[in-house]
Amino acid sequence: AVVDAAGRVLGEALRSQKEVHLQAGGIIPVVAQQLHRENIEQVVKEALGVSGIAIGDLAAIATTVKPGLALSLEVGLQHSLDLVSRYQKPFIPIHHMEAHALTVRLTQPVEFPFLVLLLSGGHCILAVARGVSDFLLLGQSIDIAPGDMLDKVARRLSLTKLPECCSMAGGKAIEHLARTGNRHQHLFPLPMQQYRNCDFSFSGLQNLVNKAIAQKEKEEGIREGEILSCVKDIAAAVQHTVAVHII
């Protein structure tokens, strides 16, 4: 995107890789990196074209450099540094999660300080945004992120085999099925109830869900990879437990 000093988006472009990742059952870093390489130049050209601003007229180039999928971030970083070198522009490295935290200020009149909850496939962070590059970290996931966990549960349930879920990412498929499921049919204990802090944990919950799925497969006499009759109830119970833990 091309953004002015007041935070107005003058031009933006996006390339989605969702279809490719769906076929692979999730994001494979080397595949994501190759797709980034193939698309980044055109995306930058599109954003500049929409904005009507030449690259030589930019004040600076900012890029997210960490944390995240290192291979994908590397593509953006390398492309940016090439432009910085060619056009002699200042370079601003950006913390990936800070970028997510501050994006709300592009679209809403939000003043500092504000509480921010960042939830994704790779991160789970609760912080107070006190200013640009000034964050008080209250808590974060001590193992895996909620999105990662939901994707793994969706894969274990083979949700892409359901016609209604075949084009959905794992977390979205769980959400879709949970709407018509009964969460009371499966009770999973809330993670970290004995701790009085703001950290999160999802790996233990995932192990409990996997055990429950295996037990149900045994009861129904089906093998892993086949669809359970109670799949909607499991989805509802898992989503509920994740949501309550975060709340």
Side-chain angles (χ1 to χ4, degrees), residues 27-219:
I27 293 173
I28 298 169
V30 288
V31 175
Q33 181 186 44
Q34 185 55 35
L35 290 167
H36 274 54
R37 279 203 188 108
E38 290 167 9
N39 290 298
I40 191 161
E41 196 165 341
Q42 187 55 36
V43 170
V44 170
K45 277 182 184 169
E46 266 180 52
L48 286 162
V50 173
S51 74
I53 291 172
I55 201 161
D57 294 330
L58 295 174
I61 294 172
T63 307
T64 52
V65 294
K66 64 174 184 180
L69 281 175
L71 294 179
S72 297
L73 289 169
E74 183 192 316
V75 175
L77 177 59
Q78 197 51 58
H79 189 74
S80 300
L81 292 178
D82 289 347
L83 295 175
V84 163
S85 172
R86 200 182 322 160
Y87 294 94
Q88 295 297 296
K89 296 293 175 185
F91 178 65
I92 307 170
I94 304 288
H95 187 282
H96 184 186
M97 301 318 288
E98 180 175 3
H100 281 302
L102 298 182
T103 300
V104 65
R105 285 168 50 86
L106 290 175
T107 57
Q108 303 290 330
V110 178
E111 297 301 320
F112 293 117
F114 59 89
L115 186 68
V116 60
L117 174 66
L118 302 171
L119 297 171
S120 73
H123 299 281
C124 186
I125 294 173
L126 183 68
V128 178
R130 298 186 290 203
V132 175
S133 298
D134 183 7
F135 287 81
L136 173 65
L137 184 65
L138 301 179
Q140 60 188 326
S141 178
I142 59 172
D143 38 60
I144 62 173
D148 183 21
M149 180 247 172
L150 291 171
D151 281 349
K152 283 173 177 162
V153 171
R155 277 201 293 275
R156 181 62 182 81
L157 289 168
S158 302
L159 297 188
T160 51
K161 290 183 180 176
L162 286 170
E164 61 191 294
C165 298
C166 65
S167 64
M168 294 179 184
K172 187 161 186 178
I174 296 264
E175 182 183 5
H176 171 76
L177 295 173
R179 285 180 188 144
T180 49
N182 180 358
R183 65 177 171 83
H184 298 291
Q185 292 299 320
H186 301 272
L187 293 174
F188 298 114
L190 278 177
M192 300 187 69
Q193 285 192 90
Q194 69 273 36
Y195 296 97
R196 286 289 171 263
N197 61 32
C198 295
D199 286 334
F200 306 91
S201 171
F202 297 95
S203 63
L205 176 59
Q206 186 198 325
N207 290 335
L208 290 173
V209 173
N210 286 348
K211 282 180 185 170
I213 293 168
Q215 180 60 35
K216 279 292 169 188
E217 286 170 344
K218 202 170 168 185
E219 288 173 17

